[in-house]
Amino acid sequence: NKKMKATIALIGVLFFTIVLTSCAINNDPFATDTNSNISAATDGGITTVGSIADDLVTGIAGITSIDESQFYNSNLVSVDSCSGNWTSCSAGLITRDVSCGDGSLAYTKNMVLTFSAAPSCSFSSNGEYFVKTHTATITGPNGGSYTSTSDAATNYFGDSIFGGTKITYNSASNYNIDILGINKKLAKNDGTVVWNHSIRTTSGKPLVINHFRREGRVISSGQLVINHNLAYFTTTMDFNSVTYKRGCCYPITGSITATFTGQIKAVKTITFNQCGFATITDIDGTFINMQFFGCENNAAGDDATL
């Protein structure tokens, strides 16, 4: 149907956008074009955080215990036409399997939510949390693949990164997002890896978020760490009042201080000024303007209603 085709087309855009926005990192490991690497690294970090929040809006809306009271809208629906349904709570677990394709692209995603309040799936009291683990794969028409997983993988330091994402309830307008470990990889059909990222938040510095729907979403603080495992550099991103709006998968105001170590050494301030655009400022005051590409779903997280 038309909705299905639109979803698959969007996945196709994502698949090829990932290649375009991330190649600079792999092709330029020694920072001959530092700004291109910084732009791509920033885009990768923002896309990861945005997709986590969006997934919680569209996916968890159907779970009664954390539906209307937390997300303020009982009519939330998934805009992803090939989404599978979340299962009912069983022994503190809720799962969801997604699979679809159009003959040229194939998309699968398997998710498990493990609640601290087992055997129930309660998420409404201070300190209650759940951990989301996942594996997602997009396979392109020529056999290339993009994978995102919470399974263990080794970064370029030799550390094992794994665990998924932990969401902690502080109040109805305050949550912590601890990214325990996510690994993302893009590979050609011959198995050659184009890029390989390990992503997590710094221990004790979770992303602090007011809610997950896009309209008025604010990530007030937190520190994200991305290891670029082929280009041998690390991006540490400190969030400062990063704010979203309905209809845009990227922030519109706020800033991030990005510190680069390894093959790239720099400190930059990324200031968001409109949907999909930001200014990168160096410590000496020089700056460039950048445009983002690569939203994982342009509609997800926008509080779609029936």
Side-chain angles (χ1 to χ4, degrees):
N1 57 40
K2 292 182 178 179
K3 191 176 182 183
M4 179 66 147
K5 290 180 179 178
T7 301
I8 297 299
L10 185 58
I11 293 173
V13 171
L14 163 65
F15 185 79
F16 293 107
T17 301
I18 290 169
V19 178
L20 292 175
T21 58
S22 301
C23 278
I25 297 174
N26 188 55
N27 293 339
D28 184 26
F30 299 106
T32 55
D33 183 0
T34 300
N35 285 325
S36 293
N37 280 321
I38 289 173
S39 297
T42 301
D43 199 346
I46 290 297
T47 298
T48 296
V49 173
S51 66
I52 289 171
D54 288 346
D55 199 30
L56 296 180
V57 171
T58 59
I60 299 179
I63 301 174
T64 303
S65 61
I66 52 177
D67 180 4
E68 188 172 1
S69 63
Q70 267 72 308
F71 298 116
Y72 311 101
N73 189 337
S74 60
N75 292 321
L76 288 174
V77 296
S78 173
V79 295
D80 182 352
S81 66
C82 58
S83 293
N85 293 322
W86 290 97
T87 64
S88 299
C89 178
S90 177
L93 297 179
I94 298 175
T95 65
R96 185 186 187 204
D97 295 328
V98 178
S99 180
C100 63
D102 70 345
S104 60
L105 286 168
Y107 174 64
T108 61
K109 188 170 186 178
N110 310 107
M111 291 172 281
V112 178
L113 307 185
T114 304
F115 288 78
S116 63
S120 74
C121 296
S122 172
F123 185 65
S124 58
S125 298
N126 186 28
E128 289 186 338
Y129 65 87
F130 62 86
V131 175
K132 188 187 89 168
T133 53
H134 76 282
T135 296
T137 302
I138 300 172
T139 304
N142 296 316
S145 64
Y146 160 74
T147 60
S148 174
T149 182
S150 54
D151 293 342
T154 302
N155 67 8
Y156 71 91
F157 291 110
D159 303 322
S160 183
I161 307 299
F162 64 96
T165 304
K166 177 183 176 182
I167 310 294
T168 303
Y169 181 97
N170 299 318
S171 72
S173 59
N174 185 279
Y175 305 82
N176 288 352
I177 300 177
D178 288 279
I179 302 176
L180 308 176
I182 295 174
N183 297 287
K184 297 190 174 187
K185 182 186 296 183
L186 186 71
K188 298 179 181 180
N189 58 6
D190 63 0
T192 302
V193 178
V194 179
W195 53 261
N196 181 328
H197 298 164
S198 297
I199 303 167
R200 62 200 184 282
T201 48
T202 299
S203 178
K205 295 183 178 181
L207 300 171
V208 179
I209 189 170
N210 60 339
H211 58 70
F212 300 101
R213 56 193 168 88
R214 283 198 194 139
E215 184 62 38
R217 177 197 297 166
V218 180
I219 302 173
S220 57
S221 61
Q223 188 174 87
L224 186 71
V225 178
I226 307 173
N227 300 128
H228 303 270
N229 297 318
L230 298 185
Y232 294 97
F233 73 93
T234 294
T235 310
T236 302
M237 305 172 70
D238 289 281
F239 285 66
N240 180 27
S241 299
V242 173
T243 303
Y244 294 74
K245 72 173 183 179
R246 183 184 177 96
C248 180
C249 62
Y250 286 114
I252 57 167
T253 62
S255 64
I256 288 174
T257 300
T259 302
F260 296 81
T261 56
Q263 293 286 3
I264 295 178
K265 293 179 175 62
V267 178
K268 305 281 185 177
T269 300
I270 295 93
T271 304
F272 303 99
N273 43 48
Q274 59 177 303
C275 182
F277 292 86
T279 300
I280 301 177
T281 305
D282 205 340
I283 55 176
D284 64 2
T286 59
F287 66 91
I288 63 167
N289 294 316
M290 65 174 291
Q291 182 175 3
F292 295 114
F293 301 93
C295 291
E296 294 200 8
N297 191 329
N298 285 326
D302 274 339
D303 299 345
T305 58
L306 292 171

